[in-house]
Amino acid sequence: MSMEIYVLSPRRLQSIHEWQQAVDKYDFPIRFDLRIDFDKVSGFLPLQFRGKLSGFECDHWGIKDIEETYDQVTIDPHFKHALAFRWGGDFSELVSALQAAAAYAVATDGVVFDCQEGEINSATRAVEVARETEAALPQIEATMERALDEFKSKK
């Protein structure tokens, strides 16, 4: 199962370097490869999370695509850009996507649209969610490990 969120914003960042600067303001433990051409980002975007290879899918969308796909959501008319974030069951991908999206939303005066929940969160709230999720990561991983161990023992 994959999850997806979008940053909706009135402007775009110009480079991966600019995005990294936004991430660094929050001391999030993600590092982009600064050689990546931000305008060409489409598909898996590799990065380092806590010093280990991770990443998530990332694509530039037009705001019209979001409006057509999620017609139940009212989008502020000054938002002109959308950046999509997708990840699967890897929890480092989850945290890195949430952190990258939050930093991007702050840097572009945007919001984060969680399409599964049907919620639009402020950039400030997105930073809080990213921090809360990272703090819960050890507990989430331990819970999953116990569940897998239990499943294996029932075989």
Side-chain angles (χ1 to χ4, degrees):
M1 179 177 99
S2 66
M3 305 283 293
E4 190 166 64
I5 58 174
Y6 301 88
V7 174
L8 311 177
S9 60
R11 66 183 191 87
R12 286 175 57 165
L13 294 181
Q14 298 303 306
S15 68
I16 291 285
H17 184 266
E18 190 177 5
W19 195 359
Q20 184 68 59
Q21 288 177 318
V23 165
D24 291 345
K25 287 181 183 178
Y26 292 96
D27 293 321
F28 290 144
I30 56 177
R31 298 290 168 260
F32 294 108
D33 178 344
L34 300 179
R35 297 170 294 181
I36 294 172
D37 183 345
F38 182 65
D39 288 332
K40 294 179 181 172
V41 167
S42 179
F44 189 75
L45 178 60
L47 53 80
Q48 294 285 317
F49 175 74
R50 295 180 177 170
K52 296 180 180 174
L53 183 61
S54 187
F56 47 82
E57 289 185 37
C58 188
D59 292 287
H60 298 280
W61 281 40
I63 205 71
K64 295 267 187 245
D65 296 324
I66 301 294
E67 291 172 330
E68 290 171 5
T69 303
Y70 303 100
D71 59 356
Q72 75 279 11
V73 175
T74 303
I75 297 174
D76 187 317
H78 81 279
F79 292 145
K80 306 293 182 206
H81 304 280
L83 191 62
F85 297 76
R86 271 175 241 89
W87 63 92
D90 184 306
F91 295 115
S92 71
E93 292 179 6
L94 160 68
V95 175
S96 62
L98 292 176
Q99 291 176 342
Y104 193 88
V106 170
T108 60
D109 300 317
V111 297
V112 176
F113 171 46
D114 180 336
C115 52
Q116 276 79 20
E117 297 295 323
E119 295 177 351
I120 295 179
N121 291 312
S122 69
T124 302
R125 178 64 187 137
V127 170
E128 292 169 358
V129 168
R131 290 199 190 287
E132 291 165 3
T133 306
E134 182 183 11
L137 189 58
Q139 183 180 358
I140 293 168
E141 291 174 330
T143 300
M144 285 300 295
E145 191 170 319
R146 281 192 305 274
L148 287 171
D149 287 345
E150 186 175 315
F151 177 75
K152 289 176 186 174
S153 68
K154 289 184 179 184
K155 279 187 152 183

